[in-house]
Amino acid sequence: MASVLEDPVLERHFKGHKDTITCTDFNPNKKQLASGSVDKTLMIWNLAPKARAFRFVGHQDAITGVHFSPSGSLVATSSKDRTVRLWTPNIKGESKVFKAHTAAVRSVHFSRDGHRLATASDDKTVKVWSVPRQCFLSSLSQHTNWVRCARFSPDGRLIASCGDDRTVRLWDTSTKNCINCFTDYGAAETFVDFNSSGTCVASSGVDSSLKIWDLRTNKLIQHYKVHSASVNSFSIHPSDNFLISGSSDSTVKILDLLEGRLIYTLHGHKGPVMTVAFSRAGDLFASGGTDAQVLMWRTNFDRRNYRDVLLQHSRRTTPDPPPHPGDFPPRVPHLHHPLPSDIQICPSVANTLATDPQVIEVGQPADSTTADALMGCPPNVPPTLHLPLEGGCDLPLPNANPGGRQPAGGIC
């Protein structure tokens, strides 16, 4: 099918990982895309033409989650090695290790102000960390099985989490209490997130479902089953009008949440799609999977109403099979096969081996912060190396540079 301006378009593809890509995120500065992999590395892809890519080495097992801080000056990763790392996304490759979980860490997420991190783990807990004070703050522990994902609400007052216990839980970050639990799930939940206004929470499951709950009424308002296998990840457009999802059925689906319908199916990956993510502006989105490639797409479809796009497609495709002879008297029973209403896009993904960006491998042993040492956030910390933090202050990294200077008070 020929493309029109409003269809999503494959803009770039990146190849540098050696195994399944598990997570992706765009830098808010619009200049970088991060991806984590089963190959234990974090890749920072610089989006400028012919720019070098950075490969960050440090984790001892598969990376499971990645998220940029709101300013873009830090990037956090979670790993099956039970740790969380904070990196500076530049050639220096400096990092800081947080340890508190006792099993694989499955996701990591910054609060909107950049001062806290939420992590989810196979140890059945969600943990909250202070970024400027580099300490473990609290543990949320009412899940009865592995926790796959945890996300802050836009205002930072709530955390949503989901896991293999087939529940989605809402936590009050001030009281540390679970204030709501959605249990209408028939299988493990793989991913959870809020819409941009914080009024709804969406989740996906291994049963191929996508569900959206209205938190004001505690009611399920949308339920989609558009995939034929587990939905591994999804991302909500900043306008709240669209949702993209990646599945083990090897496709990326795009839903119009206002129309409540599937509008596009993308077939660019050769194998299960493990991660999808919109950029902060929504003009781009990325996908990655078991084919070890990151595909970056130009959104386009958010420019016009989907009905107008579908009308333009209908002018060049046949929306329904031609009349069947049995439709005219005498009527004979027969089976109709109407065409699906979603638009199928099958871009040609070239072999990128010849056009890969130059990759610079960076990373060094980093100092680790353990829960035992940091419970209670002691006000005095050792001499530090400074990394930029939100609002222009610094992130102190204990012992990474014994000759460094400590900012006044030791806390941003």
Side-chain angles (χ1 to χ4, degrees):
M1 178 183 292
S3 180
V4 296
L5 177 64
E6 292 78 13
D7 293 340
V9 173
L10 179 62
E11 189 159 289
R12 293 184 67 178
H13 42 269
F14 303 97
K15 192 175 179 68
H17 283 295
K18 300 175 182 178
D19 208 330
T20 297
I21 293 165
T22 58
C23 50
T24 51
D25 191 40
F26 285 90
N27 193 321
N29 68 13
K30 304 180 181 181
K31 297 179 180 179
Q32 294 177 322
L33 170 63
S35 59
S37 170
V38 173
D39 68 12
K40 309 177 188 178
T41 66
L42 166 70
M43 294 290 297
I44 300 292
W45 309 97
N46 292 297
L47 301 185
K50 299 182 180 180
R52 296 175 298 181
F54 302 135
R55 177 185 289 117
F56 291 84
V57 179
H59 280 295
Q60 302 302 306
D61 206 335
I63 293 177
T64 57
V66 63
H67 196 225
F68 277 100
S69 65
S71 72
S73 60
L74 295 171
V75 61
T77 55
S78 58
S79 172
K80 291 179 70 175
D81 67 9
R82 306 183 183 185
T83 70
V84 176
R85 282 185 181 244
L86 285 181
W87 311 79
T88 50
N90 56 39
I91 196 170
K92 293 182 179 179
E94 298 164 319
S95 68
K96 174 74 175 72
V97 184
F98 287 170
K99 294 181 180 178
H101 287 290
T102 59
V105 188
R106 294 290 177 178
S107 77
V108 62
H109 190 249
F110 277 97
S111 59
R112 181 163 287 185
D113 61 10
H115 292 168
R116 290 173 295 168
L117 281 173
T119 55
S121 171
D122 286 359
D123 64 12
K124 306 178 187 178
T125 70
V126 174
K127 295 192 186 296
V128 182
W129 309 77
S130 169
V131 176
R133 300 171 69 183
Q134 317 136 66
C135 62
F136 164 68
L137 293 176
S138 58
S139 187
L140 312 176
S141 51
Q142 289 190 28
H143 280 284
T144 58
N145 208 329
W146 294 353
V147 188
R148 300 263 194 132
C149 184
R151 291 290 186 268
F152 281 103
S153 62
D155 61 11
R157 294 188 300 172
L158 299 175
I159 290 176
S161 62
C162 69
D164 285 14
D165 61 1
R166 304 184 181 186
T167 68
V168 171
R169 292 182 179 270
L170 289 179
W171 309 85
D172 186 318
T173 57
S174 60
T175 66
K176 318 298 187 299
N177 293 327
C178 179
I179 60 174
N180 207 341
C181 181
F182 300 106
T183 59
D184 187 22
Y185 299 98
E189 293 300 289
T190 58
F191 202 85
V192 67
D193 204 0
F194 292 89
N195 65 346
S196 63
S197 63
T199 58
C200 295
V201 65
S203 66
S204 60
V206 298
D207 61 354
S208 76
S209 68
L210 281 158
K211 295 183 178 182
I212 302 177
W213 299 81
D214 189 324
L215 300 182
R216 296 162 296 187
T217 61
N218 285 336
K219 290 185 177 180
L220 179 66
I221 56 174
Q222 292 189 357
H223 182 194
Y224 299 95
K225 280 206 133 183
V226 293
H227 287 286
S228 59
S230 172
V231 180
N232 301 313
S233 176
F234 66 84
S235 183
I236 301 174
H237 190 271
S239 69
D240 289 341
N241 294 340
F242 303 98
L243 181 149
I244 55 175
S245 57
S247 169
S248 294
D249 66 9
S250 304
T251 68
V252 174
K253 303 275 189 179
I254 301 171
L255 300 171
D256 184 325
L257 300 182
L258 296 181
E259 296 280 343
R261 64 189 299 176
L262 172 67
I263 56 175
Y264 290 104
T265 298
L266 311 183
H267 298 273
H269 286 282
K270 300 176 181 178
V273 181
M274 305 307 296
T275 174
V276 292
F278 274 115
S279 63
R280 300 301 194 272
D283 57 330
L284 299 169
F285 64 94
S287 58
T290 58
D291 58 6
Q293 287 196 102
V294 177
L295 305 185
M296 188 178 78
W297 308 77
R298 177 69 58 178
T299 302
N300 292 334
F301 53 78
D302 58 348
R303 298 181 184 180
R304 281 180 57 189
N305 184 284
Y306 170 67
R307 288 178 177 175
D308 297 333
V309 178
L310 194 61
L311 179 62
Q312 187 166 352
H313 276 277
S314 70
R315 296 194 183 108
R316 50 194 169 82
T317 61
T318 304
D320 210 15
H324 192 287
D327 288 335
F328 303 98
R331 180 175 293 275
V332 177
H334 63 280
L335 180 63
H336 279 285
H337 296 283
L339 297 179
S341 61
D342 64 306
I343 299 164
Q344 306 281 323
I345 296 180
C346 305
S348 175
V349 181
N351 183 342
T352 62
L353 291 177
T355 57
D356 287 343
Q358 178 187 0
V359 176
I360 300 176
E361 188 162 312
V362 295
Q364 56 190 17
D367 176 55
S368 64
T369 297
T370 65
D372 293 340
L374 292 175
M375 278 298 290
C377 298
N380 298 318
V381 294
T384 64
L385 171 69
H386 295 88
L387 301 183
L389 188 63
E390 314 310 307
C393 54
D394 293 333
L395 171 68
L397 297 187
N399 300 330
N401 179 9
R405 296 180 60 191
Q406 168 69 16
I411 300 173
C412 297

